[in-house]
Amino acid sequence: MSETALDAAFFVRWMTAAAAAVDREAERLTELDSAIGDADHGTNMQRGFAAVVKALTEGEAPATPGAVLTAAGRQLISSVGGAAGPLYGTLLRRAGKALGDAAQVSAEELRAGLSAGVDAVGQLGGSAPGDKTMLDALVPGVAALETSFEAAAAAAGDGAVATVPLQARKGRASYLGERSIGHEDPGAASSALLLAALAEVAA
Amino acid sequence: MKMLINVAETVVADALRGMAAAHPELVVDAENRVIVRRDAPVADKVALVSGGGSGHEPLHGGFVGPGMLDAACPGEVFTSPVPDQMVRAAAAVDSGKGVLFVVKNYTGDVLNFQMAAELAEDEGIQVASVLVNDDVAVNDSTFTAGRRGTGATLFVEKIAGAAAEEGMPLERVEALARQVVESSRSFGVALSACSTPAKGSPTFDLPAGELELGVGIHGEPGRERRAMMTSHEIADVAVDAVLEDLDPRLPVLVLVNGMGATPLLELYGFNAEVRRVLDERGVAVARTLVGNYVTSLDMAGASVTLCQVDGELLRLWDAPVETPGLRWGR
């Protein structure tokens, strides 16, 4: 992967692009959630990322990549609710902490940071790939960051689609048992959006 | 779907304003979404805090008051509240004797309350948590998120609330709450799906001639769909499912709970069938509560919750309570 230097402004652009993507796709996320959950994932993510953008753009923006992700994670925890709030919040906060207080990070450092975030999500949710959760998009997506941002976006997207035939073992969809089979996991779908937004701003 | 609302975005805030207007005995902080009994913190009393998604009214805000909860945190519709609300609630009601979080077993509620407990402890508030997981329709296995928390939440909040009101210490209140959880089981049936304000249409498709067995309280489909049954047949299925997991020799508290859109006429009729099954199985009924207590917006249907009680639990159940949604004896 290229050794592009990524600064705080880049991370703010990423979060802003993620918010726009969640806005665009909110209806689809909610639709996916109504098949196997309770039909609010789009609305919840929209509310959370709107709060993230507000926090990052009003007043003084955080000065380092780590601080941007930590602040974004804290906003998600404080505004999303449900399982998505703590899980996405933990993903970004843990990644932000791993990035430390460097003014710029390399793409490889970003991959390592996000990888730490993904591990924390698995720990918090007690889940693993194959459970039909966010991790099914995040794990392959973050691994593919080693190749390129585009590859990461593509792998996360494929990972989300690959949740369709799975039976959910975590979250509210797990109560459906076999009836969860045949539907894309909304958390995996929104995770794919997050990595697609990263590829978009890196392009 | 027609709803008596302005716009979906302000449904919870509007409801809180209305609740404040109706209940001067509560302090309703609409901005931070915390409902607190007006006399909190009550000196030398363990405080009870609960919360969860909105759409289950009167749960939880309707159970704030003497003898039950000290505070409640309503989230968005069917979405758990955030840790900030819970920490604020805990700080508002803690008298120094500690706080018990009553948490329903849903991933979102569990994670947010867990974060809140850590944050509250950082602020020097002693916190214990009890997880309510009474729904027998869900296998408690590694293949699901575990049994959901439904009707037993009311039993836990009432009985632990009475224990706290009597001045019992946190560990005793917590132990009693846990005993209620372990002694309670529920089973729910949906005759129609509910519609969330944000979506505006039914959250799942249930044809006119069918019903969902083992349904939860979030508009999520149940485990099994069957052709519509009579109240008599539904009671057989529901009560037997619940009893499978309980000791039939102990007397029970019975909650026949409406999901929001089933009239009391039907609920009382259903309760007659529930009592018939319990009589047939030789289970003694200590007390019965019939009504809409743990609802699922406009879903039609009902759930049955049984809680096995000994003398102390029954005494605490009978103790005075004064909340918008439940009151007696004062």
Side-chain angles (χ1 to χ4, degrees):
Chain A
M1 169 159 210
S2 73
E3 283 307 299
T4 330
L6 309 167
D7 59 7
F10 172 87
F11 282 82
V12 172
R13 285 202 300 279
W14 175 23
M15 291 298 112
T16 309
V22 164
D23 247 348
R24 267 196 318 270
E25 302 279 333
E27 223 166 288
R28 185 174 73 93
L29 294 178
T30 289
E31 213 41 59
L32 292 175
D33 194 28
S34 84
I36 58 176
D38 54 0
D40 62 6
H41 190 56
T43 330
N44 288 345
M45 293 295 283
Q46 240 177 337
R47 185 175 61 247
F49 272 94
V52 167
V53 170
K54 192 163 180 246
L56 293 179
T57 55
E58 283 179 11
E60 206 172 322
T64 65
V68 171
L69 291 189
T70 310
R74 200 161 43 233
Q75 282 301 321
L76 292 179
I77 291 171
S78 296
S79 60
V80 177
L87 291 170
Y88 270 102
T90 295
L91 171 73
L92 297 185
R93 281 186 66 216
R94 196 59 70 87
K97 279 187 184 170
L99 294 183
D101 50 11
Q104 296 193 333
V105 299
S106 69
E108 171 52 28
E109 284 166 335
L110 172 58
R111 191 201 61 74
L114 284 177
S115 186
V118 172
D119 287 348
V121 168
Q123 230 161 40
L124 184 63
S127 53
D131 286 347
K132 200 177 179 104
T133 71
M134 293 163 64
L135 292 182
D136 288 308
L138 288 175
V139 169
V142 171
L145 267 177
E146 224 160 309
T147 312
S148 69
F149 288 114
E150 296 76 34
D158 291 347
V161 173
T163 62
V164 172
L166 299 178
Q167 177 171 334
R169 288 196 285 256
K170 292 289 164 186
R172 230 166 255 174
S174 70
Y175 301 129
L176 287 179
E178 287 178 4
R179 288 161 71 182
S180 64
I181 294 172
H183 302 281
E184 186 174 336
D185 179 62
S190 57
S191 293
L193 291 181
L194 188 67
L195 291 184
L198 179 61
E200 185 188 316
V201 296
Chain B
M1 179 60 63
K2 285 188 285 187
M3 291 184 189
L4 183 59
I5 63 172
N6 294 314
V7 290
E9 289 71 29
T10 62
V11 163
V12 176
D14 293 344
L16 289 179
R17 284 192 295 123
M19 195 177 185
H23 296 285
E25 72 276 20
L26 302 177
V27 179
V28 181
D29 179 347
E31 192 193 338
N32 296 302
R33 298 194 172 183
V34 179
I35 302 161
V36 179
R37 60 185 271 191
R38 191 164 284 284
D39 57 353
V42 182
D44 290 329
K45 188 184 99 60
V46 166
L48 260 70
V49 172
S50 192
S54 293
H56 305 304
E57 290 71 23
L59 189 81
H60 293 275
F63 298 144
V64 175
M68 222 160 158
L69 296 177
D70 293 79
C73 317
E76 291 292 326
V77 172
F78 292 170
T79 301
S80 82
V82 301
D84 312 36
Q85 287 170 270
M86 299 156 185
V87 173
R88 199 178 285 267
V93 298
D94 180 34
S95 70
K97 293 284 177 184
V99 177
L100 179 69
F101 283 165
V102 180
V103 186
K104 298 187 303 308
N105 189 31
Y106 297 97
T107 312
D109 291 294
V110 172
L111 296 183
N112 283 286
F113 269 105
Q114 186 182 321
M115 292 194 158
E118 286 168 25
L119 294 170
E121 274 161 12
D122 286 350
E123 291 188 17
I125 301 169
Q126 192 190 353
V127 175
S129 297
V130 61
L131 196 63
V132 184
N133 59 349
D134 53 312
D135 185 356
V136 296
V138 178
N139 292 328
D140 185 14
S141 76
T142 52
F143 297 103
T144 70
R147 288 195 314 248
R148 296 176 287 222
T150 59
T153 316
L154 180 147
F155 289 148
V156 173
E157 291 176 359
K158 171 67 187 76
I159 289 171
E165 208 71 49
E166 285 186 0
M168 294 188 197
L170 181 58
E171 59 183 32
R172 182 74 191 125
V173 175
E174 180 192 356
L176 282 163
R178 237 175 267 288
Q179 185 187 343
V180 175
V181 170
E182 282 158 14
S183 310
S184 300
R185 294 291 186 272
S186 296
F187 189 88
V189 177
L191 311 183
S192 76
C194 62
S195 297
T196 60
K199 187 155 184 277
S201 56
T203 52
F204 63 96
D205 178 46
L206 187 55
E210 298 181 2
L211 85 171
E212 285 269 350
L213 293 177
V215 79
I217 56 170
H218 291 104
E220 69 267 52
R223 289 300 296 273
E224 193 192 343
R225 187 165 294 188
R226 284 202 207 163
M228 190 54 202
M229 300 154 74
T230 62
S231 176
H232 184 101
E233 294 163 333
I234 294 171
D236 280 333
V237 170
V239 175
D240 279 337
V242 170
L243 283 180
E244 207 167 284
D245 233 18
L246 293 176
D247 181 346
R249 291 166 302 183
L250 292 171
V252 291
L253 305 176
V254 179
L255 169 63
V256 168
N257 173 60
M259 298 292 198
T262 290
L264 273 174
L265 180 74
E266 295 172 40
L267 292 179
Y268 276 122
F270 183 52
N271 184 53
E273 296 296 339
V274 168
R275 177 62 71 94
R276 171 192 57 80
V277 186
L278 289 170
D279 287 347
E280 286 171 8
R281 305 291 182 267
V283 178
V285 174
R287 302 286 184 272
T288 302
L289 190 62
V290 178
N292 291 287
Y293 293 102
V294 183
T295 60
S296 187
L297 293 172
D298 61 340
M299 189 156 91
S303 60
V304 179
T305 305
L306 302 181
C307 174
Q308 300 178 310
V309 285
D310 57 17
E312 182 171 37
L313 292 195
L314 187 58
R315 181 181 65 76
L316 292 167
W317 175 254
D318 286 340
V321 58
E322 191 173 349
T323 72
L326 200 68
R327 63 172 64 210
W328 58 65
R330 239 167 97 110

